[in-house]
Amino acid sequence: MTSSGPGGPAPLSIDPTCRIEFGPGRIGQLPALIAATGHHRAFVVTDHGLRAAGVLEPVLGTLRAAGLEYAVYDEVAPNPSTANVDAGAARARTFGTAAVVALGGGSVLDAAKGISLLVGNPKATAADADELWEAADGLPLVAIPTTSGTGAETNGFGVIEDTAACRKVYLGHPSVKPRIALLDPELTLGLPAPATAATGIDALVHGIESLASRGANPVSTAYATQAVTMVSRALPAAYRDGADLDARAELMLGAHLAGQALSLSGLGLVHGIGHALTAHTGTPHGVALAAVLEEVMEFNAPAAQGAYEQVARAMRLAPPADGDWARAAIEAVREIAGAVEVKRPLRTLGADRDMLPAIAAGAVADAVTTNNPLPPDHTQVLDILTTAY
């Protein structure tokens, strides 16, 4: 974690993430926002579920009413693969120069970044992720999240599954960091309770891990603290009543702030394990995080007392009688996970016991784990997985 010495906080260099347009009904501004990228054509990236749920058609209607030419790629999978991204990029190249409009959850936003980047690098494929950080620029991106959790609209990389290697790869480039994040909470009103829980827990983890990250700094801490306050309050309310627009709005903006935080600080072992668990079992990202969140917090507590006190205070918890703020934070997280019914034992998520060593190895090797406040080894991660099994 960044420390402050006698001269004050350590030097920082922070690039603002994107233009934010937040509020109910803001989807109506989409044509003008596309024009702000310098384009008047749109390549819309989404998934079958949003088309079936009726979320896509009103968005396309807005484009038609403004006379914008568009094409749609709606085949993004829940855990998008390199092949999935390659197929979308092929379609986008055929359509030609345009702004990429990503409409969906984190999977869609991640895939759209890869699609945008590959259009600008026609000889590349998604499997070339490690070589694309210094590639040519991709198409400009407008991100429209339809869930409140991933924060994918705040950064220029996507987490994509390399099915051949059975691992997650980071596909991205500064040019595909969304130019505009259009945050319209009305788009989340139809999100089912289980998806609300899984994505909302993702946002809460972003805030918690950002506060405890070795890369935390005063700016990320400000974002993360406010995110934990908003998400911890709004998530149970939005889960209980999916039509509560105030709760949906607070959850969406809190999730965005959590994304801003993690983009500056990095994450930690909860995400390291979550990525590996999803790669091996296909478990939805938020469910994978919830499976080990409290266990990782227990592991980190000796090195994260201050950060977990920040978490507890952000949640507006009463001062604990024994002064153990970390324990109070862990118990509060356990209570929220229980209220939204998202916690599952690993054995119910398709993880066989003999799979745990490989999941542990993947978690230790994951780039996000380097930011964990307590550097874990393979045995320690295996112990965490065994406890959560």
Side-chain angles (χ1 to χ4, degrees):
M1 187 179 297
T2 302
S3 60
S4 299
L12 290 169
S13 178
I14 294 174
D15 183 20
T17 54
C18 59
R19 173 178 171 181
I20 302 166
E21 292 291 342
F22 167 74
R26 286 297 169 99
I27 194 66
Q29 296 186 9
L30 180 57
L33 298 176
I34 292 170
T37 71
H39 292 272
H40 297 278
R41 303 169 82 240
F43 185 77
V44 181
V45 179
T46 188
D47 60 38
H48 290 315
L50 285 170
R51 184 187 285 277
V55 176
L56 174 62
E57 183 52 39
V59 175
L60 299 183
T62 300
L63 300 181
R64 283 195 296 269
L68 266 68
E69 184 182 0
Y70 65 85
V72 177
Y73 177 70
D74 64 356
E75 298 170 22
V76 177
N79 289 309
S81 67
T82 50
N84 206 192
V85 172
D86 288 337
R91 290 271 296 279
R93 291 184 189 117
T94 300
F95 182 65
T97 303
V100 174
V101 175
L103 176 71
S107 295
V108 167
L109 271 57
D110 282 0
K113 294 170 196 174
I115 289 168
S116 170
L117 182 56
L118 293 181
V119 172
N121 295 271
K123 294 183 179 179
T125 68
D128 300 324
D130 294 341
E131 286 78 49
L132 284 169
W133 288 100
E134 297 183 6
D137 285 355
L139 298 177
L141 190 63
V142 177
I144 310 174
T146 58
T147 64
S148 299
T150 69
E153 71 276 7
T154 64
N155 58 65
F157 66 88
V159 183
I160 306 297
E161 187 166 358
D162 186 337
T163 50
C166 197
R167 70 184 183 107
K168 295 284 188 176
V169 297
Y170 295 91
L171 177 60
H173 188 267
S175 68
V176 298
K177 181 167 65 174
R179 304 273 184 91
I180 301 161
L182 197 167
L183 309 175
D184 188 336
E186 290 184 347
L187 297 177
T188 69
L189 289 174
L191 193 67
T196 298
T199 53
I201 282 290
D202 189 15
L204 185 62
V205 175
H206 289 162
I208 293 169
E209 289 208 295
S210 180
L211 286 169
S213 170
R214 297 167 71 86
N217 59 67
V219 180
S220 68
T221 295
Y223 282 133
T225 301
Q226 184 63 28
V228 170
T229 296
M230 297 175 78
V231 173
S232 63
R233 179 170 57 207
L235 174 55
Y239 180 80
R240 287 192 303 269
D241 178 6
D244 183 340
L245 185 58
D246 289 342
R248 290 291 194 184
E250 184 171 17
L251 183 57
M252 174 166 267
L253 190 54
H256 179 77
L257 293 175
Q260 297 266 19
L262 76 88
S263 295
L264 296 172
S265 65
L267 291 165
L269 181 58
V270 179
H271 271 77
I273 293 175
H275 292 158
L277 181 60
T278 297
H280 282 271
T281 66
T283 300
H285 178 63
V287 177
L289 300 181
V292 297
L293 172 55
E294 298 136 47
E295 290 80 2
V296 172
M297 290 181 73
E298 295 272 8
F299 170 75
N300 283 335
Q305 291 288 323
Y308 290 167
E309 179 176 347
Q310 290 174 310
V311 170
R313 291 183 182 277
M315 289 182 172
R316 307 290 196 259
L317 301 182
D322 61 0
D324 191 344
W325 284 99
R327 171 59 48 196
I330 294 168
E331 291 303 321
V333 166
R334 182 175 287 116
E335 184 176 331
I336 291 172
V340 300
E341 302 175 292
V342 73
K343 177 82 168 178
R344 303 279 187 278
L346 296 184
R347 62 181 174 275
T348 68
L349 300 178
D352 297 328
R353 192 174 287 275
D354 59 6
M355 193 186 292
L356 299 186
I359 295 172
V364 172
D366 195 292
V368 297
T369 302
T370 60
N371 289 309
N372 202 62
L374 199 58
D377 61 28
H378 183 271
T379 300
Q380 290 168 321
V381 176
L382 189 57
D383 287 345
I384 291 169
L385 293 172
T386 302
T387 300
Y389 189 78

